[in-house]
Amino acid sequence: MSLPPPATSRAPAPPPARRGPPPPSGAPAAAAPSDPSRFVVTTGRVNAAQKVVIYGPGGIGKSSLARLAPNPVVLDIEGSTNRMDVARISGLETWNDLRECLRSPALDAYGTVVIDSATKAEEMAVAHTLATVKTDKQQQVASIEGYGFGKGYQHVYDTFLHLLVECDRHVRAGRNVVLVAHVCTAKVPNPMGDDFIRYEPRLQQTKEGKASIRNRVVEWSDHVLFVGYDVAAEDGKGIGGGTRTIFTKEQPTHIAKVREAGTAIEPRPYESENDGAIWPLLLQTTGGAS
């Protein structure tokens, strides 16, 4: 009687290689099973550091407004504060430079971390993505479009999320975070009528709305301030005297928001580069670090 041949053992197949940037470091790991009674319900306001976006045209005073936040240190990517008396860190040339700087203990002594600007940081994220992420066929590309339809923008989005993770660490440690951004105009689909144009932070936005760094940053922030010139239209011509306003509420002309806690913060004149009156209002309303 013949015996069947012995079964041959096979090594398990290796997991498929992951494509694209790794998940953001510092994301909370899955908690081990524990007693559900450890969750406690609380009420009332929570005093926490705040996440603020300031955007507007070049030269309008975004960096000046950011430096008036409580005890700031500016991660000056663009040299915007060279003529200001403010604590800064310069010489940040790459995406890794920026992320390593955000982990530096040199920032621990400050009450607010300012990134100037998030628009330039996104350009760094694009360069880092092109240098480190290959296509499905393990090829290097020279532009975001080289990854194939929509894939490059998703890769950049995934890379940029690392920056928000680093910022969240500072918020949890009690430091406010301010992202300064440049401005662009964007067409807004309007399901209730005609589409319209408005001002928005100049960050990655796709036509389908997927992989939108702009949307993610707006959702992530507690406050979005649009600094704009006061312009009126008469007979199809723009008329203004150079005065500025800090807008705190969204209108058809711009994105803005303030997470209020019973105290409304109305749009207010931005009268000079030393006018930091909005900061006590923001932090008093929401209990931010001061």
Side-chain angles (χ1 to χ4, degrees):
M1 179 178 180
S2 61
L3 297 177
T8 57
S9 60
R10 290 187 178 180
R18 186 186 184 278
R19 298 185 180 95
S25 58
S34 60
D35 184 0
S37 64
R38 66 191 177 91
F39 298 103
V40 179
V41 176
T42 62
T43 61
R45 291 175 55 187
V46 176
N47 290 330
Q50 298 297 294
K51 299 172 286 189
V52 184
V53 173
I54 301 173
Y55 78 102
I60 200 169
K62 303 182 295 296
S63 301
S64 297
L65 182 60
R67 73 177 174 84
L68 298 175
N71 189 21
V73 57
V74 181
L75 278 55
D76 192 351
I77 307 173
E78 298 190 3
S80 303
T81 67
N82 287 345
R83 304 183 70 177
M84 300 179 188
D85 183 12
V86 66
R88 71 176 66 82
I89 295 179
S90 304
L92 305 175
E93 298 181 356
T94 68
W95 181 249
N96 284 336
D97 287 346
L98 178 56
R99 291 193 61 198
E100 290 174 10
C101 181
L102 283 166
R103 301 188 198 115
S104 170
L107 306 181
D108 294 350
Y110 294 90
T112 303
V113 175
V114 180
I115 299 178
D116 194 352
S117 68
T119 305
K120 181 63 176 180
E122 183 189 278
E123 295 177 9
M124 291 178 168
V126 171
H128 181 81
T129 300
L130 293 174
T132 60
V133 179
K134 295 183 179 180
T135 66
D136 296 344
K137 297 180 179 180
Q138 295 300 302
Q139 296 176 337
Q140 206 82 32
V141 296
S143 69
I144 293 301
E145 288 76 13
Y147 290 104
F149 182 75
K151 294 181 180 180
Y153 298 101
Q154 184 64 51
H155 290 326
V156 174
Y157 177 87
D158 292 341
T159 298
F160 194 88
L161 290 184
H162 289 270
L163 181 70
L164 300 186
V165 170
E166 306 289 359
C167 291
D168 282 336
R169 288 197 186 100
H170 287 283
V171 173
R172 289 194 297 271
R175 286 180 286 278
N176 306 304
V177 173
V178 178
L179 302 183
V180 176
H182 297 294
V183 70
C184 67
T185 55
K187 189 173 184 178
V188 181
N190 179 18
M192 300 182 67
D194 295 336
D195 296 346
F196 56 92
I197 303 293
R198 70 178 176 185
Y199 293 115
E200 298 185 357
R202 181 153 66 85
L203 295 167
Q204 176 175 287
Q205 177 77 346
T206 60
K207 185 176 181 180
E208 298 81 10
K210 299 178 181 179
S212 170
I213 294 176
R214 185 183 308 166
N215 291 351
R216 184 69 186 91
V217 167
V218 170
E219 294 163 358
W220 168 86
S221 62
D222 296 302
H223 316 293
V224 178
L225 307 179
F226 170 56
V227 184
Y229 291 107
D230 301 320
V231 178
E234 294 183 8
D235 298 326
K237 298 180 180 180
I239 299 175
T243 58
R244 303 167 292 179
T245 294
I246 301 172
F247 294 95
T248 57
K249 296 183 178 181
E250 184 162 331
Q251 297 180 10
T253 54
H254 59 264
I255 287 178
K257 73 173 185 179
V258 169
R259 285 183 176 159
E260 301 170 351
T263 303
I265 301 180
E266 299 295 331
R268 56 186 301 108
Y270 185 24
E271 296 179 348
S272 76
E273 293 187 353
N274 294 315
D275 181 6
I278 193 152
W279 289 110
L281 297 176
L282 287 177
L283 302 180
Q284 180 180 19
T285 297
T286 52
S290 60

